[in-house]
Amino acid sequence: MIKSMLLAFIPLFVAVDALGVLPIFFSLTDGVDEHERRKAITYSMFTAIFLTIGFIFLGKAIFKLLNITMGDFMVAGGIVLFCIALIDIVNPGKKRRLPGGELGVVPLGTPLIAGPAVLTTSLIIMDQFGLFPTLVSVVGNILFAGIIFLFSGFIIKGIGVAGARALSKVASLLLAAIAVMMIRKGITYILLP
């Protein structure tokens, strides 16, 4: 059982990519007070956990019912992420900040933490390792992401305000690139099933 949980944990760890999402978290929470930031972290974890667990149980049925492919899902998620990145890149002077709860649900909870990669990986490991190891892996990985976000203030202090701003701009470009990659993979999945 422990081996199954470990084998299920690793691909989800890669899919969640908490360290990769950290610069984007910096960008989205720049200028947000500590209370709102903690609220966003909490909302993002609950959103990601409930969405992923719900998807584990209902994902295949919903896709089949709506005649949606995984490629369609990846393209849609990529478009949402690209729009968020584009707003940050095009309007650098205007701060588009959502209240902590909204920010925690979209874009942090989904599609950044529980995006197409996590949802797809969850379905795959569910088939390979069973329900319990998959659920433990989902919850463990999302809680780990929340802990990383919670202690991100120490990293910001280490790199300074200017470094955080630079990181924020690079993160917006990375987010746009991630979005394009998701769209590309989705289109490839549609064209070459």
Side-chain angles (χ1 to χ4, degrees):
M1 181 62 81
I2 292 174
K3 184 179 178 182
S4 294
M5 283 191 279
L6 183 62
L7 290 172
F9 187 89
I10 293 169
L12 271 171
F13 178 79
V14 173
V16 170
D17 191 20
L19 295 174
V21 173
L22 189 58
I24 299 163
F25 176 77
F26 284 155
S27 171
L28 293 171
T29 58
D30 183 32
V32 174
D33 68 54
E34 185 62 23
H35 173 73
E36 288 295 315
R37 194 172 70 81
R38 286 180 183 269
K39 187 176 173 183
I41 293 167
T42 303
Y43 276 58
S44 69
M45 288 189 306
F46 281 115
T47 299
I49 288 170
F50 288 128
L51 178 66
T52 306
I53 290 174
F55 194 78
I56 288 169
F57 289 107
L58 302 173
K60 288 181 181 178
I62 291 171
F63 280 9
K64 189 173 183 178
L65 178 70
L66 298 175
N67 199 25
I68 296 172
T69 67
M70 194 55 66
D72 300 333
F73 189 68
M74 292 175 83
V75 169
I79 291 170
V80 170
L81 284 180
F82 189 79
C83 290
I84 291 166
L86 192 61
I87 289 169
D88 276 344
I89 293 168
V90 173
N91 290 326
K94 294 183 180 177
K95 292 293 182 189
R96 175 206 45 85
R97 298 293 173 241
L98 302 171
E102 291 179 42
L103 174 65
V105 175
V106 175
L108 286 176
T110 185
L112 289 175
I113 297 174
V118 170
L119 299 178
T120 306
T121 303
S122 297
L123 289 179
I124 292 168
I125 65 171
M126 166 76 172
D127 289 340
Q128 289 180 334
F129 303 109
L131 180 63
F132 185 72
T134 302
L135 293 177
V136 170
S137 298
V138 164
V139 173
N141 272 293
I142 293 171
L143 289 177
F144 179 71
I147 291 168
I148 288 175
F149 295 158
L150 190 61
F151 291 103
S152 64
F154 295 113
I155 298 169
I156 292 175
K157 286 179 184 174
I159 62 175
V161 175
R165 285 189 183 141
L167 191 59
S168 170
K169 293 306 163 198
V170 171
S172 293
L173 288 172
L174 288 173
L175 184 58
I178 290 167
V180 170
M181 177 203 62
M182 285 173 58
I183 293 168
R184 176 180 47 82
K185 284 186 173 182
I187 291 171
T188 303
Y189 188 91
I190 292 168
L191 297 177
L192 307 168

